[in-house]
Amino acid sequence: MAKQLKSIYICQSCGYQDIKWMGRCPDCGQWNTIIEEAPRPEKRNQGLSSMSSPQTIDTISLSPEMRLKTGISEFDRTLGGGIVPGSVVLIGGDPGIGKSTLILQVLEKIAARGHRAAYLSGEESPQQIKLRAERLSVHSDSLYVVTGTCIEDFFEKLDTLKPDLVAVDSIQTFYTNIIPSSPGSVGQVREVAARFMAFAKESGIPVFLIGHVTKDGAIAGPKVLEHLVDTVLYFEGDRGHVFRILRSVKNRYGSTNEIGVFEMKDAGLAEVGNPSRIFLEERPQDVPGSVVIPCLEGTRPVLVEIQALVGPSPLGMPRRTAVGVDHNRISLLVAVLGKTLSMQLGDKDIFVNVAGGLKVEEPAADAGIVSAMMSSFLEKPVDRNLVIFGEVGLAGEIRGVSQSGLRINEARKLGFSRCILSKSSIEGSRETGDMELTGVKSIHELYEILFK
Ligand code: TYD
Ligand code: MG
């Protein structure tokens, strides 16, 4: 008789399944990630439990103001204008970045608007949550706290509680009885999330799932939940800095170009309505190596200060350190500077930093980075009322970038009076009032304007 299969083997990193154990996952190539799990029970209609009858798209009715606003505008904006009923939102982030703080503040706001909010925690005791709430001055008689780790117990409680919104902190600490493996494993996390998904879709109650990004850079080992949930937000930031950025990477009900900016204070997260001002607050004046660039975070223009330090290297192998910008991009720009301006930085230590802990990934920052490096190398500061943007090509040409009008306007709002940009961008942005625009075609022209 054929042997009855009792277990399946699942890669904890990518979710690959097999019927035998292997040392290396054939799918993602990781070693020692395949772990035995009980076979998943056949219950195909756990998802959307009942199928709706066919209807034409025109006949589906939609109430106009469906979204639930929290009143925290940075948060609402990131969600695309508020919380959609029945949606499941995953909030991911490194441990300690402030996810629990954020969700508690969001729940309080929801509760203050007369809704019942339920905070399910598998990490902290009610007393610990109360301590945090005291610190955040969160008080409410319709914010309910439930602690524990078994979701079957929770669903029982939710039946009687009848909340309008549920937050689960964190998904990795919960387990379901159906699967024997421990909480946090791929099987458990996926199953728990699927159960909350089904719950949200059936009841129309929105659910927030909080997930820790593990050291592999993905939630629950792999990004096993991203495809399942409706919206994925990442809460990012450098723990050494007070700024936190809530970024939407997937959104079934809105744009993924949105970010929300927060500042971590003693009494919780505060919205930063005008990030540019904060990022420029402590800018040194008239110091070589400091240049302000208008970059876009999604659809939002943000001014940041790029700092460069170029100096002789005591080492045989000069150092190139980039914080907040791509390391390879710096090498490329150094090579372009050497070739087109004969500015030899090969034997210099070069440090480039984005002040405030923001990450700048746009090529539009190139011209600013180049200017900061030149400024530090020549020990000549650039005009402090000036912003610079544009992509630098390998031949030393400066190319146009998108949304130059938005960038210029943001700079003008913050009191900058001059802007250097590519000649091609300048045509599209004539109506920019009192801002003095200078178009450049190459790094050479940029150098002439800045330092001659
Ligand atoms: P927390 O929300 O517990 O992070 P997560 O849930 O993402 O693991 O917040 C962690 C950090 O935030 C903690 O190290 C201290 C800091 N913090 C403040 O600075 N101010 C505050 O009011 C609170 C509650 C936390
Ligand atoms: Mg937490």
Side-chain angles (χ1 to χ4, degrees):
M1 228 176 93
K3 200 176 135 205
Q4 182 97 39
L5 286 175
K6 282 269 178 339
S7 297
I8 52 169
Y9 294 84
I10 299 184
C11 171
Q12 300 292 296
S13 172
C14 70
Y16 172 83
Q17 297 188 4
D18 210 314
I19 50 166
K20 61 183 192 303
W21 185 85
M22 278 170 283
R24 181 173 190 252
C25 171
D27 203 13
C28 66
Q30 303 253 354
W31 291 92
N32 279 335
T33 53
I34 293 185
I35 287 183
E36 180 181 9
E37 287 189 8
R40 309 223 10 221
E42 286 298 330
K43 36 171 193 49
R44 278 293 135 225
N45 37 7
Q46 270 284 324
L48 290 166
S49 61
S50 60
M51 186 175 280
S52 69
S53 47
Q55 49 190 322
T56 62
I57 192 137
D58 285 346
T59 57
I60 303 172
S61 62
L62 195 68
S63 44
E65 204 28 85
M66 289 200 326
R67 287 178 188 255
L68 189 62
K69 291 247 195 312
T70 62
I72 302 177
S73 59
E74 296 288 311
F75 188 77
D76 290 339
R77 185 220 318 273
T78 317
L79 283 175
I83 305 163
V84 174
S87 67
V88 176
V89 179
L90 174 68
I91 301 181
D94 290 331
I97 203 77
K99 301 180 295 298
S100 305
T101 309
L102 176 71
I103 204 70
L104 206 57
Q105 288 182 268
V106 167
L107 292 183
E108 188 208 19
K109 289 280 197 253
I110 298 278
R113 296 186 164 215
H115 304 287
R116 285 160 84 89
Y119 178 58
L120 314 183
S121 177
E123 288 186 343
E124 291 160 311
S125 68
Q127 288 72 29
Q128 288 167 325
I129 296 167
K130 177 71 182 165
L131 275 179
R132 186 200 310 272
E134 285 289 311
R135 194 169 168 190
L136 303 173
S137 338
V138 163
H139 299 283
S140 174
D141 54 5
S142 42
L143 168 51
Y144 292 85
V145 172
V146 191
T147 58
T149 49
C150 173
I151 59 161
E152 276 78 15
D153 293 352
F154 270 140
F155 282 120
E156 234 166 71
K157 301 242 163 38
L158 290 182
D159 270 349
T160 48
L161 193 58
K162 300 209 183 329
D164 299 308
L165 185 110
V166 175
V168 182
D169 187 6
S170 66
I171 185 96
Q172 279 118 334
T173 54
F174 287 91
Y175 71 94
T176 162
N177 291 331
I178 326 173
I179 296 184
S181 60
S182 57
S185 66
V186 172
Q188 281 291 2
V189 167
R190 206 161 31 193
E191 188 61 33
V192 171
R195 294 284 292 277
F196 277 108
M197 190 79 187
F199 165 77
K201 300 298 166 195
E202 268 162 32
S203 61
I205 298 171
V207 174
F208 284 94
L209 303 176
I210 294 191
H212 293 293
V213 171
T214 55
K215 63 181 185 305
D216 298 316
I219 291 176
K223 298 188 159 196
V224 281
L225 298 183
E226 282 194 359
H227 68 281
L228 191 74
V229 300
D230 299 309
T231 302
V232 180
L233 307 179
Y234 278 97
F235 205 35
E236 305 171 344
D238 194 299
R239 259 202 278 175
H241 288 97
V242 292
F243 298 107
R244 301 283 183 271
I245 290 179
L246 189 65
R247 193 185 297 277
S248 150
V249 296
K250 167 182 173 178
N251 195 348
R252 286 194 182 140
Y253 313 113
S255 138
T256 50
N257 283 332
E258 294 299 349
I259 60 159
V261 184
F262 296 89
E263 186 180 351
M264 181 62 96
K265 296 198 166 152
D266 285 344
L269 291 158
E271 293 181 70
V272 176
N274 187 346
S276 302
R277 179 154 294 151
I278 307 268
F279 287 125
L280 297 180
E281 219 163 43
E282 286 158 283
R283 180 163 64 111
Q285 308 280 319
D286 300 318
V287 172
S290 159
V291 169
V292 175
I293 59 163
C295 55
L296 281 187
E297 278 287 347
T299 52
R300 236 173 144 185
V302 180
L303 296 193
V304 292
E305 181 199 351
I306 299 269
Q307 300 178 321
L309 186 72
V310 178
S313 177
L315 306 170
M317 265 265 278
R319 270 175 295 189
R320 303 266 184 276
T321 306
V323 182
V325 287
D326 181 19
H327 185 268
N328 293 322
R329 204 77 201 162
I330 303 297
S331 304
L332 184 146
L333 296 174
V334 167
V336 173
L337 273 180
K339 193 86 180 166
T340 55
L341 286 180
S342 310
M343 200 176 269
Q344 297 306 340
L345 306 182
D347 57 346
K348 303 276 189 285
D349 277 342
I350 300 176
F351 305 92
V352 178
N353 177 36
V354 180
L358 206 72
K359 281 199 179 60
V360 179
E361 274 149 14
E362 278 190 300
D366 289 354
I369 298 172
V370 162
S371 309
M373 290 196 293
M374 290 195 288
S375 160
S376 176
F377 178 73
L378 301 167
E379 307 223 351
K380 287 183 185 167
V382 299
D383 179 1
R384 62 188 156 100
N385 295 312
L386 173 75
V387 296
I388 304 174
F389 67 90
E391 180 179 351
V392 172
L394 286 185
E397 79 276 19
I398 299 208
R399 296 158 174 257
V401 293
S402 62
Q403 306 283 11
S404 39
L406 267 182
R407 297 171 200 264
I408 295 167
N409 271 331
E410 178 74 6
R412 197 186 36 199
K413 261 193 267 165
L414 283 144
F416 288 84
S417 56
R418 284 179 66 202
C419 177
I420 300 185
L421 65 170
S422 81
K423 270 230 168 70
S424 61
S425 303
I426 217 167
E427 271 120 46
S429 40
R430 269 297 166 208
E431 47 0 296
T432 42
D434 45 359
M435 193 87 168
E436 181 195 329
L437 302 181
T438 314
V440 289
K441 271 204 168 125
S442 64
I443 293 198
H444 200 262
E445 284 180 39
L446 182 64
Y447 168 78
E448 298 272 322
I449 290 172
L450 289 176
F451 306 111
K452 274 288 153 85

